[in-house]
Amino acid sequence: MTRRDTRPRRRASAGRSVVAAACLMLASACSQTVSGDPRPEPAALTGTASAPAPAPAIVRAPGELVLPPERFPQPYVAVVLPPEAVAQAAPDLTGIQPGSRVDPGGCLPPAQDYGPESTAMVVGTDNASRATISVEVTRPAPDLAEYRTYLTECSQVDATVRGITSTVSTVLGDDPAAPLDGAGTLALTRTVDSGRGSGGMTQSMATRIAQIEDVRVTVTYMSFDAAAPDTDNLDRVFREAVDFAARP
């Protein structure tokens, strides 16, 4: 009879003993009580679905932000300007028409898109005095500090278009109180003297500007005589217009 070697069996038996001992040690450790309250595993570890990302904010067009005509005070009868009229009326507030040649050079107003996705206007008219209060909303608008710098550097400009030269003089005033927290503000007065001699005309403006992030609200009183501006209603419309543009 062949004699079998029993040593491999002893090695295997020893290996099983080591594994069994390790299992006993792990079982003993796992059976110990851990102090403290049980806590759920983080979602990243358990695979629990995270909360859905918030929906992107809806960017409202200027036409949705401009003050409605019915919010204008008496005696101003207001209308919303159609897009084609905005492109004509908005440059009047700067006193410098598109295509003008200006002196000093470089004092053309900052470029602006007058299309309905960027600019909206409503204009109220006092039919007795022919004075107007206009509300212009632009979006997106560059930082208000840039416009302040432009007004400082170009406080008097001669603008010539179609053979007629106008002198545009701008004076910065004290910044009006912000109608709401976080709004930057600016105030100015402006005269536009057009033509010469008896054919000349003077256009006078008082303007209040507020900017909330990328939305700029410009409210301007305009007249064609030397009468004092209607600052009470100008300031009232300014507050209303900024509040309306900033509403949720």
Side-chain angles (χ1 to χ4, degrees), residues 112-136:
Q112 180 176 339
D113 181 355
Y114 297 116
E117 295 304 315
S118 298
T119 305
M121 287 185 69
V122 56
V123 178
T125 303
D126 177 352
N127 290 316
S129 67
R130 306 308 300 171
T132 62
I133 293 179
S134 64
V135 176
E136 177 186 14

Side-chain angles (χ1 to χ4, degrees), residues 58-68 70-71 137 139 179-181 212-213 215 217 239-248:
I58 298 175
V59 177
R60 292 181 293 165
E64 300 177 63
L65 305 176
V66 71
L67 188 69
E70 60 270 18
R71 300 280 291 270
V137 174
R139 182 177 206 176
L180 50 85
D181 292 340
I212 311 135
E213 297 180 351
V215 176
V217 180
R239 291 190 299 269
E240 291 266 348
V242 175
D243 181 70
F244 186 84
R247 77 197 191 287

Side-chain angles (χ1 to χ4, degrees), residues 144-156 168-176 185-191 205-209 216 218:
L144 194 58
E146 296 180 21
Y147 190 50
R148 187 188 301 273
T149 299
Y150 162 76
L151 295 173
T152 301
E153 296 176 349
C154 299
S155 58
Q156 183 161 318
V168 182
S169 303
T170 304
V171 178
L172 288 173
D174 294 334
D175 294 346
T185 63
L186 186 151
L188 62 90
T189 56
R190 176 176 284 150
T191 58
M205 288 176 272
T207 297
R208 310 282 188 264
I209 300 174
R216 183 177 297 174
T218 302

